[in-house]
């Protein structure tokens, strides 16, 4: 048994503050007790310390928040972040498909997977729902690297039988490979499987049917795809599926809309689609830096809230421009305001942690630093730069958090902890 006690300022938001005003939990001088990686006690230091005599308490200088959870990101695309000049469909053809083809080489996949997970940790991200490539071994590479780091990662082979040469599978190989991966990885480490059709345009009807079958056959997996991101994409989907009520309805027809479905983007959604998302329990990974970068548009936070659609936050690297969930939360604020919605900084923290955990169906394990949860957390430094230090001195909690979101990024991540153990320390690493 290993017991660790950490003393510091602790903040978490376990439920959507729009629905539950008591969701915010803040201990200005808190104590967090971690036994074998699990939070066993949390509360004000003054109340809790006497219950644990003899336990060495480590003071943590900074703001302790739950580890960030990136609800949508592509690991093979990290080497094509910041690729200039195109909207979605041309960007895929010109920049992304070529870089994904390189993952036919397992050694390359291994190398990028390790660098990718280390970059997540550097940014305070402890869990993520990750697109790999069409190659089954791209999942093995990611999951093995995640096992090494004991990270809670969800992923699954990309299905794309209508993809370009060199990135195509078939409905049958998609089914066989996915089944084999599910069997190989089930129950190992902190990993979870996601059946991952790329988007409606790169899968045949037969393959979308296969994806729906996999989701129905395995109650412990989730489904991850893209939805209604870009106008040209939406027009192409409408042309191919003239009978569908809208883009979401295409997925619905193949059994892909349910409470284990995670859709990235959802920029161009009808009220019907929002109502259907809400009723089915499906949710949206909102990716504001990507939506700006590709000129896709702005997510309608008001429409989603009015319909009670579950949402989380994703970076969508390589279309997203930063691995930092702090920065992503800051851009989410600006994107929301473009459509008249004021995103509260505490709600933004919720979306980057427990909100994304709920979306990914891992909320019992991580996201809020509650007793019984795994102790993944980040130590934030709201004095990381001279400007941050000036802006956060004598500021309220919400103001400090907002300044971290608007001005902060990886520089504000002092340490990242995985199951109570330090996995990244700004002061110990020179990379
Ligand atoms: N739609 C289909 N594939 C992709 C992708 O790789 N990135 C983004 N942003 N959208 C997509
Ligand atoms: Zn994406």
């Amino acid at each position: 048994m290993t017991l660790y006690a950490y003393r510091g300022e602790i903040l978490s938001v376990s439920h959507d503050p729009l629905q539950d005003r008591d969701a915010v939990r803040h201990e200005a001088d808190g104590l967090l007790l971690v036994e074998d990686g699990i939070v066993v006690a949390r509360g004000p230091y003054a109340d809790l310390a006497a219950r644990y005599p003899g336990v060495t308490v480590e003071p943590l200088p900074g703001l302790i928040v739950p580890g960030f959870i990136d609800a949508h990101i592509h690991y093979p695309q990290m080497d094509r972040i910041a690729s200039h000049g195109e909207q979605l469909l041309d960007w895929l053809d010109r920049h992304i498909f070529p870089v994904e083809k390189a993952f036919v080489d397992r050694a390359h996949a291994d190398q990028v997977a390790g660098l990718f997970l280390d970059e997540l940790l550097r940014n305070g991200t402890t869990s993520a729902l990750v697109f790999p490539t069409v190659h089954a071994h791209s999942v093995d590479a990611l999951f093995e690297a995640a096992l090494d780091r004991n990270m809670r990662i969800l992923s699954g082979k990309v299905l794309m039988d209508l993809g370009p040469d060199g990135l195509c599978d078939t409905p049958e190989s998609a089914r066989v490979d996915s089944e084999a991966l599910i069997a190989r990885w089930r129950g190992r480490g902190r990993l979870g499987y996601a059946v991952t059709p790329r988007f409606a345009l790169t899968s045949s009807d037969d393959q979308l049917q296969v994806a729906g079958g996999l989701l129905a056959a395995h109650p412990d997996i989730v489904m991850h795809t893209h939805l209604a991101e870009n106008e040209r994409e939406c027009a192409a989907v409408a042309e191919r599926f003239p009978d569908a009520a809208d883009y979401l309805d295409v997925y619905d027809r193949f059994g892909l809309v349910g409470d284990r479905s995670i859709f990235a983007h959802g920029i161009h959604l009808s009220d019907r689609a929002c109502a259907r998302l809400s009723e089915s329990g499906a949710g949206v990974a909102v990716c504001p830096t990507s939506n700006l970068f590709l000129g896709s548009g702005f997510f309608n936070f008001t429409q989603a809230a009015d319909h009670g659609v579950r949402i989380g936050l994703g970076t969508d690297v390589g279309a997203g421009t930063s691995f930092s969930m702090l920065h992503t939360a800051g851009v989410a604020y600006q994107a929301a305001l473009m459509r008249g919605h004021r995103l509260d900084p505490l709600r933004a923290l919720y979306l980057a942690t427990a909100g994304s955990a709920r979306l990914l169906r891992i909320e019992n394990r991580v996201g809020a630093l509650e007793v019984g949860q795994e102790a993944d957390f980040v130590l934030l430094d709201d004095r990381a730069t001279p400007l941050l230090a000036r802006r956060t001195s004598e500021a309220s909690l919400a103001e400090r958090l907002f300044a971290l979101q608007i001005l902060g990024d990886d520089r504000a991540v002092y340490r990242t902890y995985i199951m109570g153990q330090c996995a990244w320390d700004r002061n110990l690493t020179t990379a």
Side-chain angles (χ1 to χ4, degrees), residues 304-343:
D306 287 350
H307 287 278
V309 176
R310 288 188 310 119
I311 59 175
L313 205 57
T315 61
D316 193 29
V317 165
T321 55
S322 169
F323 274 75
S324 169
M325 291 291 283
L326 279 178
H327 176 71
T328 304
V331 177
Y333 168 80
Q334 298 165 56
L337 208 51
M338 285 301 293
R339 296 186 84 164
H341 186 92
R342 291 183 195 204
L343 179 60

Side-chain angles (χ1 to χ4, degrees), residues 101-148:
K101 284 180 192 170
F103 281 69
V104 68
D105 174 5
R106 169 69 198 257
H108 176 68
D110 285 329
Q111 193 217 11
V112 176
L115 293 171
F116 169 81
L117 293 177
D118 289 342
E119 190 64 22
L120 290 185
L121 291 172
R122 243 174 47 73
N123 281 275
T125 299
T126 49
S127 285
L129 174 58
V130 184
F131 256 75
T133 64
V134 71
H135 313 96
H137 64 228
S138 72
V139 179
D140 295 319
L142 180 70
F143 278 173
E144 283 178 17
L147 265 188
D148 285 348

Side-chain angles (χ1 to χ4, degrees), residues 72-74 77 88 91-92 131 198 224-226 229 264-265 287 290 294 315-320:
H72 178 71
I73 185 165
H74 300 247
Q77 296 180 12
L88 175 66
W91 172 82
L92 287 172
F131 256 75
R198 183 171 207 120
H224 182 201
T225 191
H226 296 92
E229 175 180 2
H265 305 298
C287 305
S290 162
L294 291 180
T315 61
D316 193 29
V317 165

Side-chain angles (χ1 to χ4, degrees), residues 211-227:
L214 288 164
L215 186 64
H218 300 287
D220 57 335
I221 69 174
V222 298
M223 196 286 302
H224 182 201
T225 191
H226 296 92
L227 170 69

Side-chain angles (χ1 to χ4, degrees), residues 192-255:
Y193 200 82
V195 59
T196 307
R198 183 171 207 120
F199 67 158
L201 296 180
T202 41
S203 285
S204 65
D205 289 19
D206 284 351
Q207 190 174 63
L208 292 170
Q209 199 78 49
V210 165
L214 288 164
L215 186 64
H218 300 287
D220 57 335
I221 69 174
V222 298
M223 196 286 302
H224 182 201
T225 191
H226 296 92
L227 170 69
E229 175 180 2
N230 167 280
E231 278 175 1
R232 248 185 76 205
E233 169 208 14
C234 292
V237 170
E239 193 179 324
R240 177 168 148 205
F241 299 96
D243 298 335
D246 48 43
Y247 196 156
L248 183 72
D249 193 39
V250 171
Y251 292 132
D252 224 349
R253 289 165 180 228
F254 295 100

Side-chain angles (χ1 to χ4, degrees), residues 97 134 158-164 167-169 198 202-203 207:
F97 291 150
V134 71
V158 179
L159 316 184
M160 46 189 299
D161 64 332
L162 301 182
L167 280 182
C168 267
D169 56 359
R198 183 171 207 120
T202 41
S203 285
Q207 190 174 63

